[in-house]
Amino acid sequence: MSKYDYLIVGAGLYGAAFARIAADDGKTCLVIDRRENIGGNCFTENVHGINVHKYGAHIFHTDDEKVWKFAQRFAEFNRYTNTVIANYKGEVYSLPFNMYTFNKMWGVITPEEAEAKLQSQREEAGIKEPQNLEEQAISLIGRDIYEKLVKGYTEKQWGRKATELPAFIIKRLPVRLTYDNNYFNDRFQGIPIGGYTQWIANMLEGIEVRCGVDYLQNREELDALADKVIYTGMIDEFYGFKLGCLEYRSLRFETEYMADRSDYQGNAVVNYTDAETPYTRIIEHKHFEFGKGEGTVVTKEYPAEWKPGDEPYYPMNNDRNNSLYEEYTKLGEGGKVFFGGRLGKYKYYDMDDTIACAMADYAIMPCVRK
Ligand SMILES: Cc1cc2nc3c(=O)[nH]c(=O)nc-3n(C[C@H](O)[C@H](O)[C@H](O)COP(=O)(O)OP(=O)(O)OC[C@H]3O[C@@H](n4cnc5c(N)ncnc54)[C@H](O)[C@@H]3O)c2cc1C
């Protein structure tokens, strides 16, 4: 008989949530991670008293009450509300596009005036069937907002001209005709007090975790330990890339501690929407937790091409990659291995989706220990 019901490969949010749900149901789990720490991409590291989001800014938000209740079991969440500022060559705008944005852009004051201006910009462009991302964006919000707030940012993000990107990348560009700066529409939002790493550590309480263990280096030995394997790493890597590589967009972070500055930019997230600034945004971590006092940590985020061996951040869900992913899922593992999480599923999931998936997957992954 195997020692554990589940071997969970990956101590990121998916692995931790799955392990918690299974443990609450009386199952035994061993969680491993090849990194030296738990938390996956939600990992936060305390630097001079500030929780630094090591793999990019993470703001928890959800509309799902069950997920929110689950998340709150492991930490108290603060009242952080994401409000994003766009800096276009020194001009500052509110995001997502709302009445503050329209007022700054056109001097309009009422929703009617803003709607009329948007409508006239769309008509002026006269685009009926957008052929690329640029045309799609202009047909949705007009040229002024596109030029200052969408074009440069998007081109930096994708490393290509907006006219060379397919229209479908932007399905809609949310426009709010109110003075509401809240970036998200969800009912629940916040940051776990004490940081995401502590939140995930609390989720894993009482569950055996081994860090610095790569499944692919110790496969047979680890497989023998459990009835089922939940694999949250890259599916193509699991199969030795034998059908080819799935592609991602990557990011590069430049983080700096400023001992003699208490506030660098007055907001957690500032997007740089011009094409010339090489980074897409600057994160000032202390603002996620209303940090006071001397010293601050800022991170510049640079979009980057991905090559095998780099950190895979965003799956590139184009037709080629989606069908390659499907081919990988057909290889099967005799029902022993289940692929979960953002890398196993090759899909971008926000944290709430990740927890919801772990809940749904557990329900269809019965474990009958042999
Ligand atoms: C830049 C960025 C910003 C984001 N911001 C937000 C946000 O603001 N709000 C939000 O809700 N969501 C956000 N997300 C999404 C969030 O990061 C994911 O929902 C979450 O991290 C998914 O967790 P996961 O466990 O599936 O994957 P991961 O966190 O990637 O965990 C997978 C783990 O598996 C381990 N692993 C892989 N292969 C092996 C192996 N062979 N052996 C052992 N271990 C292995 C890895 O080391 C890793 O720790 C953001 C994502 C990115 C990229």
Side-chain angles (χ1 to χ4, degrees):
M1 187 164 121
S2 33
K3 190 167 173 210
Y4 302 94
D5 292 305
Y6 294 101
L7 167 72
I8 298 167
V9 181
L13 180 56
Y14 182 92
F18 192 100
R20 179 75 272 149
I21 296 160
D24 288 351
D25 195 32
K27 305 294 186 204
T28 51
C29 302
L30 169 63
V31 181
I32 62 164
D33 204 298
R34 56 160 60 136
R35 292 184 188 169
E36 292 300 333
N37 54 267
I38 61 163
N41 280 5
C42 301
F43 178 67
T44 46
E45 184 181 44
N46 199 288
V47 177
H48 299 283
I50 298 165
N51 286 310
V52 173
H53 300 207
K54 272 295 274 277
Y55 298 91
H58 278 70
I59 299 118
F60 193 92
H61 59 97
T62 188
D63 223 18
D64 184 329
E65 218 156 331
K66 223 164 85 192
V67 166
W68 183 231
K69 267 200 183 136
F70 181 86
Q72 286 180 299
R73 277 175 60 192
F74 312 105
E76 191 185 331
F77 279 66
N78 71 16
R79 59 156 194 85
Y80 178 80
T81 301
N82 201 28
T83 57
V84 179
I85 304 269
N87 182 327
Y88 176 79
K89 300 183 178 181
E91 293 172 26
V92 167
Y93 294 91
S94 286
L95 293 176
F97 314 130
N98 63 40
M99 287 305 300
Y100 289 108
T101 328
F102 305 137
N103 175 264
K104 181 83 183 262
M105 189 75 70
W106 299 313
V108 295
I109 290 177
T110 65
E112 286 78 12
E113 288 168 341
E115 181 53 52
K117 189 76 192 165
L118 280 164
Q119 197 48 34
S120 81
Q121 289 252 316
R122 289 185 196 112
E123 279 165 16
E124 227 170 83
I127 298 166
K128 296 274 178 297
E129 283 180 24
Q131 299 300 310
N132 55 49
L133 187 144
E134 175 163 299
E135 291 183 4
Q136 170 77 341
I138 293 172
S139 74
L140 291 169
I141 35 97
R143 192 167 286 279
D144 289 353
I145 291 180
Y146 169 73
E147 292 289 349
K148 289 192 170 178
L149 302 180
V150 178
K151 185 177 191 299
Y153 191 87
T154 310
E155 291 185 343
K156 286 190 282 188
Q157 238 184 352
W158 290 94
R160 280 161 65 187
K161 294 249 166 281
T163 46
E164 292 163 13
L165 288 163
F168 74 80
I169 291 182
I170 293 185
K171 290 201 175 62
R172 22 177 240 115
L173 281 168
V175 164
R176 246 187 229 157
L177 294 174
T178 59
Y179 287 95
D180 178 5
N181 276 335
N182 184 349
Y183 195 77
F184 299 115
N185 291 319
D186 290 339
R187 278 177 298 165
F188 314 111
Q189 183 174 176
I191 306 280
I193 295 171
Y196 285 98
T197 308
Q198 189 55 52
W199 178 57
I200 289 181
N202 293 344
M203 210 175 279
L204 287 166
E205 200 181 300
I207 295 166
E208 192 178 339
V209 180
R210 296 183 201 163
C211 286
V213 178
D214 190 332
Y215 171 83
L216 299 173
Q217 307 289 324
N218 309 269
R219 202 165 181 150
E220 276 175 31
E221 189 190 317
L222 289 163
D223 275 350
L225 292 177
D227 185 54
K228 292 239 183 286
V229 177
I230 308 296
Y231 194 81
T232 76
M234 293 156 70
I235 190 169
D236 50 354
E237 189 184 19
F238 178 93
Y239 287 112
F241 304 102
K242 66 181 175 191
L243 304 178
C245 262
L246 291 164
E247 296 164 307
Y248 297 83
R249 280 295 289 168
S250 197
L251 294 170
R252 185 169 63 79
F253 299 108
E254 249 174 37
T255 297
E256 188 185 350
Y257 173 64
M258 300 171 174
D260 51 357
R261 240 158 137 175
S262 59
D263 199 342
Y264 178 76
Q265 61 184 15
N267 203 45
V269 184
V270 178
N271 288 4
Y272 285 79
T273 56
D274 63 292
E276 292 75 24
T277 307
Y279 39 86
T280 44
R281 48 184 197 165
I282 298 185
I283 307 302
E284 187 169 14
H285 301 265
K286 74 192 297 185
H287 291 301
F288 288 124
E289 302 187 41
F290 315 107
K292 305 263 184 302
E294 280 308 301
T296 192
V297 180
V298 299
T299 300
K300 289 180 179 149
E301 195 172 301
Y302 298 80
E305 288 291 333
W306 176 87
K307 54 183 181 339
D310 290 348
E311 200 58 58
Y313 282 101
Y314 297 108
M316 305 237 318
N317 290 104
N318 55 27
D319 291 347
R320 181 254 175 205
N321 289 326
N322 288 343
S323 54
L324 181 57
Y325 175 78
E326 284 309 311
E327 292 306 309
Y328 272 116
T329 61
K330 286 182 200 152
L331 294 177
E333 280 295 309
K336 182 167 174 104
V337 181
F338 182 89
F339 294 95
R342 63 179 196 100
L343 297 170
K345 289 275 194 264
Y346 193 63
K347 201 158 182 237
Y348 178 83
Y349 287 128
D350 268 332
M351 289 181 279
D352 61 331
D353 303 323
T354 301
I355 294 175
C357 283
M359 288 172 169
D361 292 345
Y362 182 74
I364 57 161
M365 273 292 289
C367 176
V368 187
R369 198 134 49 114
K370 294 176 216 92

